[in-house]
Amino acid sequence: MLLLGCIKEVSDYELVISLPNGLSGFVPVTQISDAYSKMLSKQVAQGELLEDLNSLLDMYSPGTLVRCIVTSVEKSADGRRSIKLSIDPKKVNKGLNASALASGMLLSGFVSSVEDHGYLIDIGVSGTHAFLPRQKAQNYIKALKRGTDLKIGQNLNCVIVEVKNEGRVVRLSIDRSEVAASLATEQQNWTLSNLLPGLVVKARLQKVAPLGIKVSFLSSFTGIVDFMHMDPEKSMNYSPDQVVKACILSVHPTSKVVRLTLRQAFLRPGGSPNQLSSDRMGAVVEESTVKAFYKQFGAVFELDDGTLAFARLKHLSKTRKSFKPGAFKTGCKHKCRIIDYSLMDEMCIVSLKYKIIQARFLQYQDIHTGDVVQGKVLALKPIGMQVKVTDGIKGLVPSMHLADVILKQPEKKYNIGDEVKCRVLECNPAGKKLILTLKKSLVQSKLPVLSNYEDAKPGLITHGFVVCAREFGCIVKFYNDVKGLVPKNELSLEPVSCPDKVFHEGQVVKVMVLKCEPEQERLLLSFRLSSKPALEDKNECSPKKKQEVKYQIGEMVDVKILKKKGNGLEVSVLEDEGNVIASIPTVHLSDFLANCKLLWHCLQEGDVLPRLMCLSDKGERIILSRKSAVISAVQEEQVVRSFSEIQSGMLLTGYVRNVMPFGVFVEFPFGVTGLAPKVSMSDKFVTDTKDHFVVGQTVIAKVTSIDEEKQRVLLNLKVSECSSGDSAAESFALLNQYFKEMKEIRNLLRRRGEPSIARGLCELVPGKELQLVVQDVKEDGSALFSGSCVTGLTVTATRYHLGDKNIVPGEKTKALVLHVDALTSKVYVSLREELLKQRAKQVCVHGSQRTPSTLPSCST
């Protein structure tokens, strides 16, 4: 189908075209012309930019009328139809041949080549060479103000000035006055097979009706002018046999129905339709007056400024059942909102739906950086998640921003159609680009949004996310692509030797602005928030007032240690200037119980701990946790928030709340608890439950049964039942986490300047080979050792780890470190040859429950 359209938007890869009757279509960059497509292919093949290849933005402007042809109509996932168009002259002018060309014809053409004396124009007619002399293009080029030359691929309205050699050679003009005065006549021998939209004709009115006018033109043609395309100033004065100017809007390929317009803007070829003022888009009109109602189409309204608007039938009421035709009699008043503007109809498109009138966002221009928006999941792709905010607004959540942690399998957390709450990272209305984040720490942040360098005042504290961690420090990104550097010395109150081991890409961090140079877009930041001066009125806050701030379970905070207590640490939350006091139980300092005690011993008052999770806000104080496995489970939504969400077969991460003779009580985040009976605690026979589990131990539990009436949950803690699949990968991940924490503890001990024994422990790592001297061989077969590298430490090897060696006191031997207990100053070693040869590339782990708390210990 051939249509006259008007360019509505121009982007790098397509033109958005306004079509008659409020429709829109799209012209891909590959459907401009043959010459332009060849240049695009050449650029792609060469892999570098071509100097004479211009972008669509350089050649096309909104408001330009173009002839186009429908190439396909596709139905999208949300049920909308997408109209694909082409403005390639070979397709638009396919009904023409060389012998049909005549002087005075108005055609579409594209610049295919720039020559010394003019331009070769592609008009899409086989066997015809069209030439445009420079003098016939000068006033058009001056008026366009886009340089001194036409560009290859540029669309032109051309008038045939001269035809030679039976149409094989034609001379053209794009002179504005000649194009505007062109008129299709009977002498040009137009037929139904080659009739083109955009032609201006003299038409005779045959029949005038409320829904439209039937006209005849070019002697033998008939056409229709619908009610939207009557001239608004003359709509009541049309009469049969009246002769008027009309412009062809469309030609149907099979029915041959021709539609025309009588609107003045289309009656001078080369002109542009009237456009809507930008401030009117999205405006709510309190009183619009019904001018006419058409029961099959919709209603025409007069707005408060006198302009006309059209509302489609589906936009007149919430549902078809609730629609009342009597409410749309001429003169009735209604509240509406302008939701679009049809350039081809020179008319606003409005909606009377309450939901649309009240909508916060209608177009990309309504959305601002930092806004929190609700949306629906449209699709999950390798680059991220596509989210539908409204019917006309879609956004992308990059893979890094699907959660506070990087999700390896996002499809397990999100489903198509899920409602999601996002925050706008970046919005570019011109390019219809909307970038969102689902990171809870950013979505829920109450700190100022940093979206431009001018707002980055020294002392400002805000949230950002790490995009790069290197030896020089971290690069942190904010909103609208604003980013800054946290140098190595500002990463922590304590020195950080390897930032990439401590910080990771996508990690949400709280930073303070130290310095900003907006013109150079340079931003210097710090993670050392506690170094900021205390507020003058800090002492005025009463204890009751300090605890008014509430934190949600799962919310991440940074804290400063105030006091060490026997059962944990008392800390203050940095975000609230120390006004909120919280507790960290010792067993929640790590997933590994051995490390919990070590960390409690190493940490001191004044130390800052980043990224702790609110575990409970019941009672007088907030309880925080540093257990990585529990935090990951909450952030990846692998948790239950209430009893009603529990399902049999679920694998949940929690921690031991109590150990009883009959079983183990396990608590999960959000307060749900369950019981693992003695028979379901281990793959081994259990005599004493306390030999297998301790309070605070991190565990993975499988839900076996649910008693809704008694609100009871039974669990299974057997290793054979609690694996999600790849048990080897899980074990190595836990081991890796353990050794990572041990490394942090060793670094902490070094920095503290602990006594020589502690420093010696720091140097002993599993897998290290030692030169030892046998000190004693005990009756049970175990042995004690000494050496210069283990002065003051108890070094022992079990009978199994002596291997086949018959050692005696005073003998020198090589040994491999298996485990270091820093609290008791004990080092466990092995003399077995197979381990010494492999240098501890593998570690054998045995135990009743494969959890973070039991993995580090090795036993025989």
Side-chain angles (χ1 to χ4, degrees), residues 77-78 355 373-380 384-391 393-397 402 414-422 434 436 438:
D78 57 358
K355 184 179 178 182
V373 300
Q374 292 283 140
K376 278 188 178 180
V377 178
L378 272 184
L380 285 166
M385 177 197 292
Q386 197 174 23
V387 174
K388 176 184 173 183
V389 180
T390 66
D391 282 342
I393 303 174
K394 294 176 185 177
L396 176 72
V397 181
L402 291 173
Y414 299 106
N415 297 306
I416 307 301
D418 282 356
E419 292 275 353
V420 288
K421 189 177 182 181
C422 315
L434 182 63
L436 307 166
L438 281 167

Side-chain angles (χ1 to χ4, degrees), residues 177-424:
S177 57
E178 290 183 43
V179 169
S182 65
L183 193 69
T185 61
E186 291 88 343
Q187 290 73 30
Q188 293 167 5
N189 296 318
W190 293 100
T191 66
L192 272 175
S193 60
N194 64 22
L195 197 64
L196 293 172
L199 294 178
V200 176
V201 298
K202 284 190 175 180
R204 184 181 296 276
L205 309 188
Q206 291 186 329
K207 185 179 180 182
V208 179
L211 287 177
I213 302 171
K214 186 178 180 181
V215 300
S216 62
F217 61 98
L218 297 178
S219 300
S220 57
F221 297 98
T222 57
I224 297 169
V225 178
D226 66 38
F227 66 91
M228 292 180 74
H229 281 276
M230 299 179 191
D231 187 341
E233 296 179 1
K234 302 177 182 178
S235 58
M236 303 303 293
N237 300 319
Y238 290 119
S239 58
D241 286 331
Q242 185 180 349
V243 177
V244 294
K245 267 190 176 184
C247 177
I248 297 173
L249 284 181
S250 64
V251 182
H252 198 280
T254 51
S255 66
K256 302 300 180 184
V257 172
V258 180
R259 294 188 177 275
L260 302 95
T261 180
L262 302 180
R263 288 181 168 270
Q264 290 298 314
F266 300 95
L267 303 184
R268 284 177 59 85
S272 296
N274 297 314
Q275 300 196 35
L276 180 70
S277 172
S278 59
D279 62 338
R280 289 287 282 170
M281 184 62 72
V284 174
V285 180
E286 293 296 331
E287 279 195 354
S288 58
T289 308
V290 177
K291 295 289 288 182
F293 173 67
Y294 306 94
K295 62 181 180 180
Q296 292 180 327
F297 305 105
V300 176
F301 296 85
E302 184 178 336
L303 303 182
D304 50 7
D305 61 354
T307 59
L308 295 181
F310 179 71
R312 298 184 182 91
L313 209 57
K314 67 177 183 178
H315 278 282
L316 293 178
S317 61
K318 186 176 180 180
T319 62
R320 287 197 174 188
K321 288 183 179 179
S322 63
F323 176 64
K324 298 177 180 177
F328 295 95
K329 292 178 180 179
T330 302
C332 288
K333 307 282 186 180
H334 291 276
K335 185 177 182 178
C336 66
R337 188 174 188 180
I338 300 172
I339 59 172
D340 200 359
Y341 181 76
S342 174
L343 286 164
M344 284 304 296
D345 303 313
E346 294 186 307
M347 196 176 284
C348 293
I349 307 298
V350 297
S351 176
L352 276 65
K353 287 187 174 182
Y354 177 80
K355 184 179 178 182
I356 291 177
I357 292 173
Q358 297 297 320
R360 184 181 171 196
F361 306 117
L362 196 64
Q363 53 184 343
Y364 286 89
Q365 286 84 348
D366 299 331
I367 296 180
H368 302 99
T369 302
D371 282 345
V372 176
V373 300
Q374 292 283 140
K376 278 188 178 180
V377 178
L378 272 184
L380 285 166
K381 299 181 179 180
I383 60 169
M385 177 197 292
Q386 197 174 23
V387 174
K388 176 184 173 183
V389 180
T390 66
D391 282 342
I393 303 174
K394 294 176 185 177
L396 176 72
V397 181
S399 298
M400 182 199 297
H401 283 277
L402 291 173
D404 276 325
V405 295
I406 304 299
L407 298 183
K408 292 180 180 178
Q409 294 178 303
E411 63 277 2
K412 287 189 175 182
K413 182 173 181 179
Y414 299 106
N415 297 306
I416 307 301
D418 282 356
E419 292 275 353
V420 288
K421 189 177 182 181
C422 315
R423 195 161 204 170
V424 178

Side-chain angles (χ1 to χ4, degrees), residues 6 141 215 292 394 413 429 592 611 750 855:
C6 184
I141 293 172
V215 300
K394 294 176 185 177
K413 182 173 181 179
F592 312 97
R611 293 186 57 74
R750 286 194 190 97
L855 269 170

